[in-house]
Amino acid sequence: MPSNNDFSLRVLVGGTVVDEYQMDGFHYIECNLNTPVSYKQTVTETIADEIETQEYPVTPYEIEVQANPVATSTCYFRIMVDGVKVKGLSIEPGARRSIRGFRDGVVIRELLFSMPRIAKNEVDRLSPERLSKVGQIEVECWNAELKSRVWKQRKNQLEFVQANKKDSDNVTRGQYMMTTSKAGRAVSERRTFRCVDHWKRKSLRSRLSVFYRMGHELIEMGFALRPFILNDAKDLQCSTLCKKEADLDRGSGSGSGSQETRSATHILKRKSAGKSRKICQFIDLTNDDS
């Protein structure tokens, strides 16, 4: 995964690092909607004054950032998905932090790879600036100063707006359907009141980006895709439990990805010699920096 003198960036699915592909200085990963941890999310929404229910194949993922162990000071990091800030946090030299989802009040909702949603009406469009960032995970590293630390109530509700199919047509000119991110199931619940660090950003040190694309797009770019392999066969059992639990949570469905959404990647199983990562053990590892 991409790295520089300040930090490294990784994207994980089911606790497994997603393989990276490089071209012309850009980093790409496959957006696979048919992994053992993928499921169908059922969404009911109003489209042109009519209530419609859609099923979208989705894949939960997480973003992992590790600060360089030889860094001389703690830096402030901004994590963006599709052009929207998901998290701001400080990371000490050598420390590793995992961002599992969007903040929605006291709840953390999982990050999901997904196809675009249906546009609600003719004015339901993202701004050109947002559109240029769809399909991109970006992390900025800043020199910053800790100004204050206060206790406050969690009030910020989820405001992330997913790109729709009309947005995709505007970007790709109808040649293909671009991939997007969206919020999913609740993976953790946090305290109503929190201790918040307020940082003053001084200067940007560095930036790393990863572009996520469907498998057929990467193949057309000339990449030979490698199979996606979970770290442990036990993850497959655990992912089955997660899919069953999806029906119990708001905005989720059941089942695996449809044949139409299968990418060129073949899902293989591999038993790990000693370590087992259980994807159902939802642990919130983020801190509360603003």
Side-chain angles (χ1 to χ4, degrees):
M1 276 297 174
S3 62
N4 56 30
N5 292 332
D6 295 318
F7 68 102
S8 60
L9 167 64
R10 304 197 301 177
V11 177
L12 296 87
V13 168
T16 300
V17 178
V18 181
D19 283 338
E20 169 205 352
Y21 305 90
Q22 296 186 46
M23 177 181 289
D24 300 329
F26 295 99
H27 301 263
Y28 299 88
I29 60 172
E30 182 186 6
C31 173
N32 190 333
L33 300 180
N34 191 44
T35 74
V37 298
S38 302
Y39 64 93
K40 284 186 178 179
Q41 184 188 57
T42 302
V43 178
T44 300
E45 52 193 349
T46 301
I47 307 296
D49 298 327
E50 294 185 4
I51 298 178
E52 296 189 17
T53 298
Q54 304 286 333
E55 279 192 342
Y56 297 90
V58 295
T59 298
Y61 70 93
E62 60 186 280
I63 303 167
E64 188 176 87
V65 179
Q66 182 173 15
N68 192 327
V70 300
T72 57
S73 62
T74 298
C75 292
Y76 179 78
F77 293 83
R78 299 178 78 240
I79 291 84
M80 275 84 67
V81 172
D82 290 1
V84 177
K85 178 186 172 184
V86 175
K87 181 70 176 176
L89 73 167
S90 59
I91 304 179
E92 298 179 351
R96 180 180 300 168
R97 304 300 296 271
S98 178
I99 295 83
R100 300 185 63 92
F102 299 92
R103 287 187 291 187
D104 185 13
V106 298
V107 169
I108 302 296
R109 298 199 172 275
E110 61 189 350
L111 295 162
L112 296 177
F113 288 134
S114 173
M115 301 304 291
R117 61 182 173 86
I118 297 177
K120 297 180 180 180
N121 48 51
E122 291 303 317
V123 297
D124 180 18
R125 303 288 187 274
L126 295 183
S127 66
E129 182 180 1
R130 272 290 314 276
L131 278 180
S132 67
K133 297 289 187 178
V134 173
Q136 180 178 357
I137 298 169
E138 186 176 30
V139 178
E140 296 176 347
C141 177
W142 288 79
N143 290 315
E145 177 185 357
L146 179 61
K147 302 295 293 185
S148 63
R149 179 170 292 170
V150 298
W151 281 89
K152 63 187 299 185
Q153 187 175 3
R154 298 179 188 274
K155 296 182 179 180
N156 295 335
Q157 300 300 311
L158 180 63
E159 297 181 352
F160 183 86
V161 178
Q162 182 193 11
N164 59 52
K165 293 182 179 180
K166 294 296 184 181
D167 292 323
S168 175
D169 290 341
N170 290 337
V171 173
T172 68
R173 297 181 181 179
Q175 295 181 1
Y176 62 92
M177 192 68 68
M178 66 183 184
T179 51
T180 69
S181 285
K182 66 187 303 185
R185 304 168 297 192
V187 295
S188 67
E189 185 173 342
R190 310 182 71 187
R191 299 184 304 272
T192 302
F193 287 87
R194 58 173 179 159
C195 182
V196 179
D197 290 345
H198 290 284
W199 291 81
K200 179 180 179 180
R201 286 180 286 150
K202 293 184 175 181
S203 59
L204 179 65
R205 294 178 58 93
S206 60
R207 179 189 291 114
L208 290 175
S209 298
V210 171
F211 298 89
Y212 57 92
R213 299 289 187 266
M214 295 295 289
H216 65 84
E217 295 179 54
L218 296 178
I219 291 175
E220 291 175 358
M221 294 172 65
F223 295 116
L225 297 187
R226 297 181 289 272
F228 176 72
I229 305 174
L230 285 178
N231 284 341
D232 198 302
K234 293 182 180 180
D235 288 342
L236 299 179
Q237 301 173 0
C238 195
S239 65
T240 301
L241 295 176
C242 287
K243 291 176 183 178
K244 291 180 179 178
E245 291 176 357
D247 290 330
L248 303 179
D249 200 282
R250 184 181 70 181
S252 61
S254 61
S256 59
S258 63
Q259 186 172 1
E260 288 77 16
T261 61
R262 287 176 183 153
S263 68
T265 297
H266 303 292
I267 307 302
L268 301 181
K269 308 172 186 177
R270 181 181 64 185
K271 292 186 176 180
S272 176
K275 298 182 179 179
S276 174
R277 298 179 179 176
K278 298 181 181 295
I279 62 169
C280 285
Q281 189 178 7
F282 295 126
I283 302 176
D284 178 30
L285 298 178
T286 61
N287 67 9
D288 291 313
D289 297 337
S290 60

